[in-house]
């Protein structure tokens, strides 16, 4: 699964650590999600969407469907 | 962004607290395990009542340790939980398969010494540690 987390974070000038605090996960987890190594659960994806004020589809894209 | 320090404090502090609690329970469990072993040998010798009480205390504290680990795992984020689950699955699988094989080797006298439970615990602990490092590396 691809995602725009890194871009969205950079647009707001946030560090991985700051984003991790907002999502209540570890910085390592944010890094793994940004790199596409770990797919977040639906609740975590919703949390990210709420934080950025976007829909889940605007942040996460299914690679198989693209 | 909201006040990040508050959230950071709550989530990270909770994990730190849970880790500290595990340390206390594990230390108590190790101490009571030592009490059972060395108490029987050096302090009260063959007093069955004291031995039974020491074992009971050890088991009760052991359950406290299990609950502390459960609370710790629930407090981790989902990727950390996945790493823990994978490591535990590896440890359990290796422990079961190699442990039974090892026991069979003892029963069939393929090895000249007794298959001790402590060997299995060492194997499972080492496998768990390897699993944790493999998981951390995988998601790095």
């Amino acid at each position: 699964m691809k995602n725009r987390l890194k871009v969205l974070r950079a647009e707001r000038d946030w560090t991985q650590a700051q984003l991790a605090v907002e999502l209540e996960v570890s910085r390592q987890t944010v890094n793994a999600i940004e790199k596409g190594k770990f797919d977040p659960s639906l609740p975590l994806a919703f949390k990210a969407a709420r934080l950025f004020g976007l829909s889940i589809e605007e942040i996460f894209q299914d690679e198989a469907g693209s | 962004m909201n006040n990040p320090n508050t959230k950071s404090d709550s989530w990270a502090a909770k994990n730190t607290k849970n880790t500290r609690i595990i340390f206390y329970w594990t230390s108590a469990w190790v101490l009571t395990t030592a009490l059972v072993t060395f108490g029987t040998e050096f302090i009260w010798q063959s007093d069955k009542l004291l031995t039974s009480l020491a074992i009971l205390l050890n088991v009760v504290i052991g359950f406290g340790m299990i609950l502390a680990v459960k609370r710790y795992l629930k407090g981790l984020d989902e990727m950390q939980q996945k790493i823990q689950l994978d490591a535990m699955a590896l440890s359990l699988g290796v422990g079961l398969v190699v442990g039974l094989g090892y026991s069979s080797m003892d029963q069939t006298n393929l090895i000249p010494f007794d298959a001790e439970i402590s060997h299995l615990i060492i194997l499972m602990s080492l496998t768990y540690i390897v699993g944790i490092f493999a998981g951390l590396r995988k998601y790095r």
Side-chain angles (χ1 to χ4, degrees), chain B residues 24-92:
Chain B
Y24 294 145
W25 278 105
T26 307
S27 301
W29 181 72
V30 169
L31 282 174
T32 53
T33 304
L35 182 70
V36 171
T37 307
F38 297 114
T40 312
E41 201 167 336
F42 300 113
I43 305 173
W44 59 76
Q45 277 80 35
S46 57
D47 189 322
K48 284 190 177 169
L49 178 64
L50 285 176
T51 304
S52 301
L53 286 174
I55 291 172
L56 182 67
L57 181 68
N58 178 241
V59 171
V60 168
I61 288 180
F63 275 103
M65 182 178 70
I66 291 169
L67 291 176
V69 171
K70 189 181 170 216
R71 189 187 303 145
Y72 167 77
L73 290 173
K74 277 185 80 176
L76 295 177
D77 72 34
E78 54 195 59
M79 190 185 81
Q80 292 170 329
Q81 286 178 346
K82 170 105 175 71
I83 291 171
Q84 290 285 339
L85 180 68
D86 288 349
M88 287 178 185
L90 180 71
S91 174
L92 179 66

Side-chain angles (χ1 to χ4, degrees), chain A residues 25-43:
Chain A
V25 297
S26 63
R27 191 199 59 76
Q28 288 77 12
T29 298
V30 168
N31 184 53
I33 293 171
E34 282 186 359
K35 285 184 171 177
K37 291 185 174 182
F38 180 75
D39 292 334
S41 66
L42 209 45

Side-chain angles (χ1 to χ4, degrees), chain A residues 14 18-19 21-22 24-26 28-29 31-32 35 37-41 44, chain B residues 1-8 10-11 77-80 82 137-140:
Chain A
W14 294 348
Q18 284 173 312
L19 181 57
V21 166
E22 286 301 311
E24 295 187 295
V25 297
S26 63
Q28 288 77 12
T29 298
N31 184 53
K35 285 184 171 177
K37 291 185 174 182
F38 180 75
D39 292 334
S41 66
L44 184 56
Chain B
M1 207 185 291
N2 301 328
N3 184 356
N5 289 332
T6 312
K7 277 193 177 176
S8 174
S10 60
W11 190 77
D77 72 34
E78 54 195 59
M79 190 185 81
Q80 292 170 329
K82 170 105 175 71
R137 190 182 165 86
K138 181 181 173 185
Y139 294 115
R140 194 167 57 191

Side-chain angles (χ1 to χ4, degrees), chain B residues 83 87 90 127-140:
Chain B
I83 291 171
L90 180 71
T127 313
Y128 170 73
I129 291 168
V130 169
I132 290 291
F133 278 108
L136 290 173
R137 190 182 165 86
K138 181 181 173 185
Y139 294 115
R140 194 167 57 191

